[in-house]
Amino acid sequence: MNGFPPGFAYERETISAVIHGANPLVERNIRVRLRANKHGLCGNLIPPARPTAKFQRATGRLQLRLAAHIPLPRAENLYIETGEVREQFLSKGRRHDAGQHPYCLVHWCGMVLHLEQYLLDVRKLKPLSVISFQQVPGSLPVILGPSAILSLTLELREKPESQWCENESENPIAVLETDISPYPPHCIPQAIAAMGVYGYVSCDPETWTSPLLALPMQYGSLIIQHRKNGALPQPALVLDSALPLGTGPDSYFECEFHVLGASSAIEKGESPIRIKTSPEKMLGAAVASVRPPEPGVVCDPILGNRYGRAATMVTELKAHDLEIW
Amino acid sequence: MGSGKAASVRLFEWTNVRFAAFQRHNGSDFTFLQCSGGRGCAKQGGEYDLFSGPPPQSWKCDLDAPKHQSSIAETSAILKRLVLPYRGRTMLYYTAVTGNRTILDESFTSAIRSLAVWGITGFLETLTGVRGPIGWSGRGDGLQWISDHGARELRELNIKLERATACPSGAFDAVLSPAAAAVLLHEAIGHVAEAAHLSTGQRAFVPKRIASEYVSAYDHALETGGPAHYESDDENVKCLGPTHLVHQGILIRQLHSYGSAARTGTLPTANGRLSCVWKPVLPRFSNLICVPGESTEEQLVDAIHNGIYLIRLANGIYNGADVEADIVLAEQIRNGKRTGQYMTGGQIKEHAGLLLRVTGLANNSTFYNNALCGKDGQILFDVGTASPALLIRQLRVVA
């Protein structure tokens, strides 16, 4: 019925500490045990091991230092998470460690600033100025950042009838599916990933009460890049994110943006803009990758955050071509 | 807490989540998972601690492990019977949550809330390739409702979808069945009346006209027959009776949690709700009831002469300015009569003020059997809407 050998058990513990904007530090400690039985897979939340004092000290110090020193405007959108995923398989009464994956994630207004095991060097971040969209010259070329590319691609792939998906191998944009997400809590063992959507649900207690349509049908992760490489135009308007605000043909996307100046200086958009467009139109306008694939995040209020890697791409669009709502 | 300073709240819930997924496509596939456990959240001194497992002993919080009323075998049999008659691709996902939630506020007043909700979501695809979304939810485990009504509803949906043609684009005079009207009222009144939970110091925009003078509505967590039913909300604020929201089309009151009420200088309305103790409390409506009119549904249909009768809508979205919903099933109205010519597909895309064009309400108000709401990623199974049939002029449909 479920394909697991009798006695199969898997234990997964995620400990993390999060600062989101002005919210206080949240420590999260979740331990799930999955066991195969005659009805399928049975999941239980079990008492977690206490985080080690070393981990607590390290994350606490890091978070407070990051929150205090990142010189970013609109700091209410700053999300900092440090954590660790530990996995164990159980068989014949014996435990087998399957790995320990520490990570550190920082994202802000649709841009992933850091997603690695190692600590972020806050000295690399420089103070930014703020710009309104009305001040952006209409002649600037439009660039799509990793999170925007990821979001538009995911949106398009949810419409299997679109021509873009039918001819994916012939598209100028190459999309590679992978089981390995850049965000360790989204990586699960192959045996459970093979169950599809239900495998992921069983590992993530946050989704245990979600209805079917609020579960992402395609888990795993994507690596997206344009088959052509090009040069990064400067100055340029960079769309950092593209969150769909509806469905259907006349949809709007809420996009964070920044202006990349001639000397690589960044002016951050003072608020997101709403653009009337379609994923086909935006991705169809991409002409080349200007940076290799980097981590991106899609902050979907229903499906939760999704992570992948995408190249930054330059388009044939100018700022005045965007239909602002 | 009303002063806006950091509150000290402890929450713990001990829940048992049962879910079953059925997929019927070239045979049938069946997966059953049962997940259970406790989830806790303590907030002290401005910091949160979230954890799984039983509550710490220092809480002195004795909760019984939750149990479902039916066995897995019984649940499985009932659900399997539901999908077996269909040969097209069908996917059903059943979730039932049962358990208890304890709330200990800063005045050391504690409350225990029982949780027992269920939902079925998925889709039914006819042999002609037409796909209709399915969504039912409510209180309890739903198995009795599924046995009594689920099979009949699926059968009717399947028959009508097989005969349906594509819905055309345009602006139509429309009569919405109580089920279809509930989807629009949920978006265009329910969510509009909820206070913003993130704004700081922003005054609510009330009074404000949001519907025609025919429309009046209120929120009541203890309304008889409503999917939501609680004496006090997730912040331990007691429900003292109906909250009148819309009077003759004018929004006169907003729904508040402790936090949103403190920020806007008003009182909470027992509408602070959360999907699980790990999530923040949001102002959410409980049961939204639209006051019925005096006409019969047939009189509304007769009044528009030519137009459409919307039987079922799904996937309603309110994005702060616009409302949209997918048309699952509609029927043509010709010469003041429903014709039995069914239509499907298409979408309603309107400004949130579409209820300003309501020119009639029927006298047949009923609670819609889908009370699911996923605002801000927090899925609640018991956000009820009771609506009569509505007559809306020039409803915009996009094919």
Side-chain angles (χ1 to χ4, degrees):
Chain A
M1 187 178 285
N2 55 49
F4 291 104
F8 171 88
Y10 167 69
E11 234 178 69
R12 178 183 182 86
E13 181 169 10
T14 307
I15 54 174
S16 61
V18 175
I19 288 181
H20 188 190
N23 294 330
L25 183 85
V26 175
E27 285 191 17
R28 172 177 296 229
N29 199 349
I30 300 162
R31 195 175 184 189
V32 182
R33 180 183 289 162
L34 303 177
R35 279 184 188 279
N37 63 21
K38 63 179 181 177
H39 298 297
L41 206 60
C42 181
N44 281 294
L45 284 169
I46 57 173
R50 294 301 304 170
T52 61
K54 188 178 169 189
F55 176 83
Q56 280 187 316
R57 279 198 302 273
T59 55
R61 272 205 307 269
L62 170 76
Q63 309 248 0
L64 294 173
R65 204 173 69 203
L66 284 175
H69 291 97
I70 290 185
L72 299 173
R74 299 178 58 201
E76 70 277 10
N77 294 303
L78 183 63
Y79 180 94
I80 306 167
E81 177 180 335
T82 51
E84 201 168 287
V85 180
R86 299 176 196 148
E87 299 173 290
Q88 289 183 329
F89 284 100
L90 283 80
S91 66
K92 295 175 185 170
R94 302 184 72 175
R95 291 171 181 271
H96 307 279
D97 271 341
Q100 193 167 332
H101 316 284
Y103 64 93
C104 172
L105 162 69
V106 182
H107 66 80
W108 167 71
C109 297
M111 298 165 81
V112 175
L113 303 179
H114 184 84
L115 179 47
E116 296 293 342
Q117 179 174 344
Y118 305 106
L119 304 185
L120 172 68
D121 185 354
V122 289
R123 288 166 301 182
K124 285 183 184 169
L125 296 170
K126 294 172 185 167
L128 304 179
S129 55
V130 175
I131 189 170
S132 74
F133 191 76
Q134 286 75 23
Q135 294 171 292
V136 176
S139 59
L140 292 189
V142 174
I143 289 177
L144 299 172
S147 299
I149 292 282
L150 186 64
S151 176
L152 292 166
T153 307
L154 287 170
E155 180 71 3
L156 204 51
R157 286 164 72 93
E158 285 182 4
K159 301 178 193 167
E161 72 281 4
S162 83
Q163 209 174 9
W164 201 87
C165 294
E166 282 176 10
N167 307 318
E168 206 165 79
S169 60
E170 295 166 19
N171 280 333
I173 294 176
V175 181
L176 179 68
E177 286 183 27
T178 167
D179 290 335
I180 301 167
S181 167
Y183 180 62
H186 283 186
C187 296
I188 64 170
Q190 189 59 44
I192 293 172
M195 285 179 70
V197 59
Y198 307 117
Y200 288 93
V201 167
S202 59
C203 286
D204 183 1
E206 301 246 354
T207 62
W208 284 2
T209 54
S210 294
L212 183 69
L213 294 177
L215 298 173
M217 283 292 123
Q218 291 162 337
Y219 278 82
S221 187
L222 300 177
I223 300 173
I224 308 161
Q225 59 185 327
H226 203 282
R227 295 184 204 277
K228 283 184 191 166
N229 289 324
L232 179 68
Q234 286 178 298
L237 169 69
V238 183
L239 299 182
D240 298 317
S241 66
L243 182 68
L245 295 179
T247 56
D250 291 336
S251 281
Y252 292 92
F253 287 80
E254 188 170 89
C255 302
E256 292 282 356
F257 71 95
H258 71 261
V259 173
L260 186 64
S263 55
S264 298
I266 289 175
E267 291 178 289
K268 181 63 190 170
E270 67 178 359
S271 59
I273 50 174
R274 289 184 171 190
I275 300 173
K276 186 178 180 184
T277 188
S278 67
E280 291 93 334
K281 192 175 162 188
M282 294 302 282
L283 292 174
V287 291
S289 292
V290 293
R291 275 191 200 145
E294 293 167 311
V297 59
V298 180
C299 300
D300 189 314
I302 301 292
L303 301 177
N305 287 2
R306 300 174 70 182
Y307 299 88
R309 291 182 188 275
T312 301
M313 296 182 199
V314 63
T315 69
E316 57 194 13
L317 299 173
K318 303 288 183 194
H320 57 66
D321 294 329
L322 301 176
E323 199 176 335
I324 305 295
W325 180 32
Chain B
M1 270 199 274
S3 65
K5 69 174 184 179
S8 176
V9 179
R10 292 173 179 197
L11 292 161
F12 185 80
E13 70 183 33
W14 185 268
T15 51
N16 188 306
V17 182
R18 179 179 285 179
F19 44 92
F22 295 85
Q23 181 170 296
R24 187 146 180 84
H25 188 50
N26 300 328
S28 63
D29 186 12
F30 166 53
T31 309
F32 217 117
L33 291 94
Q34 178 158 294
C35 297
S36 66
R39 309 188 277 199
C41 164
K43 181 183 177 188
Q44 285 180 304
E47 295 198 354
Y48 283 97
D49 185 21
L50 309 177
F51 58 90
S52 59
Q57 285 185 345
S58 58
W59 284 31
K60 295 177 181 167
C61 169
D62 293 326
L63 287 178
D64 294 331
K67 284 182 184 157
H68 289 277
Q69 290 171 351
S70 312
S71 69
I72 288 181
E74 285 169 328
T75 309
S76 165
I78 290 171
L79 295 168
K80 217 164 188 174
R81 271 204 301 274
L82 206 58
V83 288
L84 277 179
Y86 303 101
R87 285 186 294 159
R89 189 171 176 213
T90 305
M91 205 161 170
L92 287 183
Y93 183 76
Y94 167 82
T95 311
V97 184
T98 182
N100 292 302
R101 180 176 292 165
T102 61
I103 306 152
L104 184 67
D105 66 25
E106 65 177 3
S107 61
F108 298 102
T109 309
S110 65
I112 295 183
R113 277 197 60 194
S114 292
L115 304 171
V117 289
W118 68 280
I120 286 190
T121 52
F123 61 83
L124 171 77
E125 202 170 89
T126 66
L127 289 175
T128 52
V130 179
R131 183 178 286 194
I134 295 163
W136 303 317
S137 71
R139 267 190 288 150
D141 65 6
L143 295 178
Q144 188 64 46
W145 187 91
I146 293 164
S147 302
D148 294 346
H149 307 281
R152 181 174 50 81
E153 285 216 5
L154 271 191
R155 196 166 51 243
E156 279 183 20
L157 181 65
N158 188 49
I159 291 169
K160 288 174 180 172
L161 282 178
E162 281 190 336
R163 291 161 50 189
T165 55
C167 209
S169 286
F172 304 96
D173 289 345
V175 173
L176 283 76
S177 71
V183 175
L184 290 190
L185 291 180
H186 176 111
E187 306 299 336
I189 292 183
H191 287 315
V192 170
E194 290 164 345
H197 60 284
L198 292 176
S199 63
T200 48
Q202 186 186 348
R203 288 270 165 191
F205 296 108
V206 288
K208 178 189 177 189
R209 179 165 288 284
I210 60 166
S212 77
E213 62 190 20
Y214 297 97
V215 180
S216 293
Y218 60 93
D219 177 87
H220 191 200
L222 295 169
E223 182 77 8
T224 308
H229 190 85
Y230 55 81
E231 301 272 347
S232 54
D233 69 4
D234 290 323
E235 293 178 306
N236 210 11
V237 176
K238 292 265 183 292
C239 171
L240 300 175
T243 305
H244 292 278
L245 300 174
V246 179
H247 178 67
Q248 296 180 352
I250 296 172
L251 181 68
I252 53 172
R253 185 85 202 266
Q254 284 196 303
L255 300 171
H256 284 286
S257 62
Y258 254 127
S260 69
R263 281 190 293 274
T264 50
T266 186
L267 293 171
T269 57
N271 289 92
R273 305 185 70 187
L274 41 75
S275 60
C276 88
V277 295
W278 285 340
K279 301 284 178 80
V281 170
L282 304 178
R284 309 278 294 261
F285 68 94
S286 55
N287 295 310
L288 176 71
I289 295 100
C290 179
V291 179
E294 292 175 354
S295 312
T296 63
E297 197 173 294
E298 289 73 26
Q299 285 171 326
L300 298 186
V301 171
D302 187 47
I304 65 170
H305 203 63
N306 290 321
I308 55 173
Y309 180 80
L310 291 167
I311 301 168
R312 278 192 58 182
L313 300 176
N315 305 329
I317 296 175
Y318 169 62
N319 66 18
D322 291 336
V323 168
E324 63 178 57
D326 295 342
I327 298 174
V328 179
L329 202 60
E331 190 177 341
Q332 279 190 358
I333 295 175
R334 288 281 172 271
N335 301 318
K337 300 282 178 209
R338 288 168 61 179
T339 58
Q341 293 178 335
Y342 296 105
M343 297 176 291
T344 187
Q347 208 174 37
I348 292 172
K349 273 189 176 277
E350 282 273 8
H351 185 264
L354 83 165
L355 298 180
L356 291 166
R357 301 198 303 274
V358 170
T359 59
L361 283 86
N363 55 5
N364 57 348
S365 184
T366 51
F367 270 104
Y368 182 34
N369 55 29
N370 184 352
L372 282 163
C373 177
K375 182 183 174 182
D376 277 13
Q378 292 201 41
I379 308 288
L380 295 182
F381 294 78
D382 53 352
V383 183
T385 310
S387 172
L390 297 182
L391 193 166
I392 301 185
R393 296 288 178 184
Q394 297 297 296
L395 189 70
R396 186 173 166 239
V397 174
V398 181

